[in-house]
Structure formats: C-alpha cells, structure tokens
Amino acid sequence: DTCIVTRFNPNKGQSAADAKFESISAKMIWRVANALRPEVPINFDRILGASYNTRSVLEALLAHTPEFYFAYPGRIEAISSTSAVKQGHKHLIWRPSDPHEPNKMYEVETQVVISEIPSTETVYEALTISEPIAGIDIDIQRRHAQIQIALVMIGRQLQFRTWVAQNDKGIIYNDQRIGEIEGVIRSLKDVQLLTAYDQAIRAALLIDCIWFRNARFMPAVFEIEHSTGVTSGLTRMKGLFDTMPPIPTRWAIVAADSEREKVMREANRPQFRDMHPLFFPYSSVEELYSLCQRRHLSGANDEFLDCFMERCVTE
C-alpha cells in the first residue's frame, strides 16, 4: 500500500548513503488521482491540504512522466468588490493526448485562470451504532452509516422518500433513530410501487437505501460496500431487479473511491450487466450532500444525479 523513496539534498552535504526513507501512501496517491481531469491544472498543496511530507516527491515524479506538464495559471485575487488576475502558483496539468519525452519536466503555457474558493466540507452529527456487527470494526460500521445518512438527507432535499435497510433503522443519528427521520419509509408495504410484488418487497428489505418519488417512480437503488464485498451488494440488488417489473431506475454501488477498479470489474460480470450498474464514489456522495447542506437544492430533476455517478458496464 506504500511506495518507499529516499530523500537527500547534496547542497546540504547529504548523500544517498545517509538518505532518509519516507513513504508515499496509497491514500495520498488516491487523493491526487481523484483530482485529475484532462487539461485541468491541479495544485498539490491545495489537494493534500499541505499535509504529507512526501507530497513534493510525488509531484516531482509525476512532472517527469510523459503525460504531465507544469504551468502557472493565473489566479483571481478578490479584494473588496473588485478582482484582478495575478501570477498563480505552480500547478500540474495532465495531458494524456500530448505526451512529452520521459524523465524530463516541461512547462506549458495556459490561458486557464483559477478562482480559488474554500474546499467543501460534509458535516455529520453524532452517530451511534445500536447493534454493532460482530467481527466488523466499529469505525467501518460508522462510515457505512454516515453514507446512509448522506443518502437519506440528499433524498429528502430532492423530495424523495427513502427506504433504509430494515436492520439499520435502529442506528441513532443526532439523537434520533434513522427509521424515525422525516422522509424515511417505515414499511415497504406502504410503497404503492411494490404493493403487488411480495417477492420484491422481501428482496428489498435489506437493500441499504432506495429512493422513491411520488407513488410511481424509483429514482435509485443503492448498496453501500464499505464492510462487505461488492459482489454481495450487486447480488442483493439483482434479487430486487429480478422480482419486479422493469422500470427506469439507477442500480448503484456506493463505495470508497479507491474501490473503483473492483466495482467496475464485478459490475461487468455477466449476471449483473443487465442492471447497467453505476458507481457512486464516496467523494461524489459527499460532494452532493455538501451541496444540499449549503445550497438547499430544489427543483433538480433525476438526471441531475447522473452527473455524480459513473456507468460501469463497458460495451
């Protein structure tokens, strides 16, 4: 999970013989990887919050690889009611369609201007797992529950009603059981869309989250895979998929960003492809939740959700 590097500065009389060994962690790499977009400048200190001693090493390694260039995009500096474009800080730009000679650094001119705003934050209130699952770390269970809470709150903001897995309704969030939060469905027998399908109701009982709109629509079905395997979540969703009539919806695996490759691989198994599964990474869940918290979204249509999810099935 880590890459070990040696660091020394000849200008300070240091040599490889007495170099310090330091690590570039997988978490650090993932934070940078999740920020990459073609032709979009990124600033390492901003992405990594000025943490990680080896951030400059990773930046230098990337700058020497063929698909990365460094640049100094303009920076919008706001003063009172006026603004001006100033010389910006060093950024890296990923240009996969225009690789340069390896093991060298190249600067590229860019007309991009950066307007820096504070990074978004997602805030969770106090949460208590009332019936911890034996053998699973409590922090893992708590993270799973936080994502469930985020989905419930997003659904409520978008005027959806949310089903939460029967065995999770007792989780206490902000001194209230999840099952008692406004907008959470008490019983699937109350959902008109499913009343004629007893098998579908049984299959849905342990699905982590399901969004319903009005009495006729089901915008999304979610399985959160933080403590269990991706395949088990896909299998639970397939059980519901096979026991109800075909209706337009989204069958989404919600998982840590670092699990993307695994989700993509499992979702493309033949038995799951007809669901056209989606990947809804934690970062996107919390980006949407933060947006709901700060901007009180209203009037967004279902297709708005597609901006935050990635299709898994490859043709």
Side-chain angles (χ1 to χ4, degrees):
D1 290 339
T2 58
C3 171
I4 305 299
V5 297
T6 57
R7 302 180 70 185
F8 63 95
N9 186 346
N11 295 328
K12 295 182 179 180
Q14 300 170 352
S15 66
D18 53 11
K20 292 174 60 179
F21 287 86
E22 297 192 53
S23 63
I24 298 176
S25 69
K27 182 178 179 181
M28 178 181 172
I29 294 171
W30 268 107
R31 288 184 65 174
V32 173
N34 289 330
L36 292 177
R37 301 290 185 275
E39 305 295 338
V40 176
I42 63 169
N43 180 273
F44 266 57
D45 282 351
R46 188 169 179 81
I47 291 168
L48 300 174
S51 56
Y52 300 98
N53 291 332
T54 51
R55 62 185 184 278
S56 61
V57 177
L58 178 57
E59 182 179 29
L61 287 171
L62 287 177
H64 282 81
T65 59
E67 294 183 356
F68 288 87
Y69 295 75
F70 70 93
Y72 294 88
R75 175 174 58 87
I76 296 177
E77 183 177 273
I79 302 175
S80 186
S81 60
T82 64
S83 63
V85 177
K86 302 291 186 180
Q87 175 68 41
H89 304 294
K90 182 175 66 177
H91 285 60
L92 284 189
I93 298 181
W94 180 38
R95 307 184 72 188
S97 61
D98 185 25
H100 61 72
E101 185 180 354
N103 303 320
K104 292 185 177 181
M105 292 199 306
Y106 286 84
E107 182 176 1
V108 63
E109 296 291 332
T110 179
Q111 299 301 312
V112 171
V113 176
I114 307 294
S115 178
E116 296 183 345
I117 58 174
S119 59
T120 60
E121 292 182 342
T122 303
V123 178
Y124 296 101
E125 302 292 346
L127 185 150
T128 302
I129 307 296
S130 53
E131 297 181 8
I133 303 172
I136 299 179
D137 186 275
I138 190 64
D139 287 338
I140 291 177
Q141 296 179 56
R142 185 172 289 113
R143 186 61 174 141
H144 182 281
Q146 286 170 339
I147 297 297
Q148 272 180 308
I149 290 293
L151 292 172
V152 168
M153 298 306 182
I154 293 167
R156 190 166 74 176
Q157 190 69 56
L158 298 178
Q159 299 183 355
F160 301 151
R161 299 170 67 217
T162 304
W163 168 256
V164 174
Q166 189 68 47
N167 55 338
D168 292 328
K169 289 185 181 293
I171 292 172
I172 307 297
Y173 180 70
N174 198 19
D175 297 325
Q176 185 179 23
R177 293 182 184 276
I178 289 183
E180 298 171 354
I181 293 176
E182 180 185 353
V184 173
I185 296 167
R186 303 294 178 87
S187 171
L188 284 171
K189 293 181 180 179
D190 297 333
V191 179
Q192 186 175 335
L193 186 67
L194 300 179
T195 50
Y197 306 99
D198 289 340
Q199 284 185 300
I201 289 176
R202 288 194 292 272
L205 284 175
L206 297 182
I207 297 286
D208 284 323
C209 281
I210 306 175
W211 282 340
F212 294 95
R213 179 166 55 84
N214 302 329
R216 298 180 295 117
F217 301 100
M218 189 171 72
V221 179
F222 302 108
E223 269 296 303
I224 304 164
E225 297 309 321
H226 196 81
S227 58
T228 57
V230 172
T231 305
S232 62
L234 288 163
T235 300
R236 273 192 294 275
M237 290 196 298
K238 189 63 163 63
L240 178 58
F241 179 88
D242 289 339
T243 52
M244 64 183 303
I247 61 172
T249 191
R250 296 161 184 79
W251 304 89
I253 290 291
V254 186
D257 296 59
S258 58
E259 294 294 300
R260 179 185 179 277
E261 182 179 349
K262 183 178 181 181
V263 172
M264 292 291 176
R265 183 176 64 250
E266 296 301 310
N268 273 281
R269 289 180 180 271
Q271 65 267 38
F272 303 130
R273 287 175 62 91
D274 54 350
M275 290 193 297
H276 299 283
L278 301 170
F279 175 46
F280 196 6
Y282 284 179
S283 62
S284 293
V285 173
E286 294 190 321
E287 180 184 0
L288 181 54
Y289 182 27
S290 176
L291 192 60
C292 288
Q293 287 179 316
R294 292 179 296 112
R295 299 300 182 188
H296 306 292
L297 290 180
S298 63
N301 59 24
D302 293 0
E303 286 70 27
F304 173 70
L305 301 171
D306 295 331
C307 300
F308 296 86
M309 305 182 201
E310 181 180 0
R311 296 191 178 279
C312 297
V313 171
T314 55
E315 301 300 333

